Amino acid sequence: MENAAITSSSPDSSLRVYVVEDSAPVRERLQEMVESIAGARCAGSAETARAAIAGIRETSPDAVILDIRLPDGTGFDVMRALKNHQPSPVFYVLSSFALEPYRRLAMKLGATAFLDKVTQLETIRELIANHASRKPMPAH
């Protein structure tokens, strides 16, 4: 079943993070985590590769938390499809399949970080918080 992407588009200086995760409980947890970080907000979410590509193109987030295994493809498919999208978001790959070949491919495709969903969930919080603290304020 194809779910439409959920998006939010209120303009502000927050780091806009898009969450791509097929597990609803994990996706909701990641969204709540993003919303709890000062200077960050969830720009949208999707559970499939197709919805993620459309949602990311529509919202142009600053960062994407991206799972590898999705019902209709992979996070790698999402990264490939958005290779030339401007502005290019920062990709934080978060997966239960934290194997070295996947890590190498993610980094080759432009991921900023590749994290194990089971053991490094708090690390993604730290990375997003650090990214949010460095986001420049918009010119008025």
Side-chain angles (χ1 to χ4, degrees):
M1 177 171 93
E2 180 70 23
N3 280 359
I6 300 168
T7 59
S8 169
S9 60
S10 62
D12 63 28
S13 62
S14 296
L15 179 76
R16 295 168 299 111
V17 181
Y18 200 93
V19 177
V20 182
E21 168 62 55
D22 63 326
S23 165
V26 175
R27 186 173 58 253
E28 290 166 11
R29 182 174 177 195
L30 289 168
Q31 290 171 299
E32 289 169 3
M33 179 197 69
V34 167
E35 293 291 337
S36 75
I37 297 169
R41 70 177 174 86
C42 191
S45 68
E47 69 179 57
T48 66
R50 180 176 292 146
I53 293 164
I56 293 166
R57 284 182 175 149
E58 179 183 329
T59 62
S60 293
D62 303 301
V64 176
I65 299 174
L66 182 62
D67 191 8
I68 289 179
R69 287 202 167 177
L70 301 168
D72 63 342
T74 68
F76 303 131
D77 297 331
V78 173
M79 292 176 74
R80 285 183 189 108
L82 297 166
K83 180 178 163 185
N84 297 317
H85 180 74
Q86 292 300 322
S88 180
V90 171
F91 286 98
Y92 298 104
V93 178
L94 187 63
S95 179
S96 298
F97 301 93
L99 304 172
E100 191 55 35
Y102 289 157
R103 180 181 311 277
R104 280 194 305 271
L105 180 55
M107 301 311 277
K108 180 180 176 184
L109 291 173
T112 296
F114 183 96
L115 304 166
D116 185 327
K117 190 185 303 182
V118 176
T119 62
Q120 296 181 297
L121 201 54
E122 278 307 306
T123 303
I124 193 69
R125 173 189 285 283
E126 294 168 15
L127 289 170
I128 296 294
N130 186 39
H131 191 161
S133 71
R134 294 187 328 254
K135 187 171 184 325
M137 297 296 285
H140 292 277

